[in-house]
Amino acid sequence: NDAIEKYTLDGQPVTNDLYTTVYKTSGDYFVSIDKNYNYGILDKDMNVIINNKYEYLDYISDKLIIVRNEDGKYGIIDLKEKNKVNFEYDVMQVIKNTNIVQGRNIFL
């Protein structure tokens, strides 16, 4: 039987088997990805801040987290999951070297 051990980027063991991946954000939080590829956020003690329910998550800051919901639409929330930008975009990204987030809809 192969044993798999998991560690955070700062060398702390991950003892919770709920997640396949846990990585540190630029802040004091960790992004967690579960076995179903759903994203969430944990605090430094590995307590759940945001449940793993988003198809994608990009932590920018405590007040700016880009997420994609189960309908495949992007929006922005904060750490308390308060909507900052409604879930209505097909694509959302930070424009490199700026403080600007761009949301776009794709029309075919």
Side-chain angles (χ1 to χ4, degrees):
N1 233 357
D2 291 335
I4 297 175
E5 295 182 18
K6 299 175 193 171
Y7 296 88
T8 63
L9 292 179
D10 61 354
Q12 299 299 312
V14 176
T15 57
N16 189 330
D17 229 11
L18 296 175
Y19 310 114
T20 58
T21 305
V22 175
Y23 62 88
K24 188 159 177 23
T25 67
S26 58
D28 292 329
Y29 298 94
F30 293 83
V31 172
S32 60
I33 305 172
D34 67 16
K35 295 173 185 176
N36 296 317
Y37 303 103
N38 291 315
Y39 289 67
I41 294 187
L42 307 171
D43 69 12
K44 63 182 166 105
D45 297 318
M46 299 296 136
N47 297 310
V48 174
I49 301 299
I50 296 177
N51 288 317
N52 287 67
K53 63 181 180 182
Y54 294 103
E55 290 185 352
Y56 175 78
L57 184 148
D58 188 3
Y59 175 94
I60 308 301
S61 71
D62 295 359
K63 297 178 184 178
L64 181 69
I65 304 165
I66 297 171
V67 291
R68 183 173 67 216
N69 66 14
E70 65 277 356
D71 294 329
K73 294 293 186 176
Y74 287 86
I76 297 176
I77 61 172
D78 63 14
L79 277 176
K80 297 182 191 269
E81 291 190 83
K82 181 178 176 189
N83 276 5
K84 298 296 185 176
V85 173
N86 290 332
F87 291 88
E88 56 187 48
Y89 296 96
D90 296 326
V91 177
M92 187 170 276
Q93 64 190 25
V94 177
I95 298 175
K96 190 175 182 174
N97 299 322
T98 72
N99 291 325
I100 298 171
V101 174
Q102 172 179 275
R104 295 181 56 191
N105 284 315
I106 300 170
F107 300 100
L108 300 177

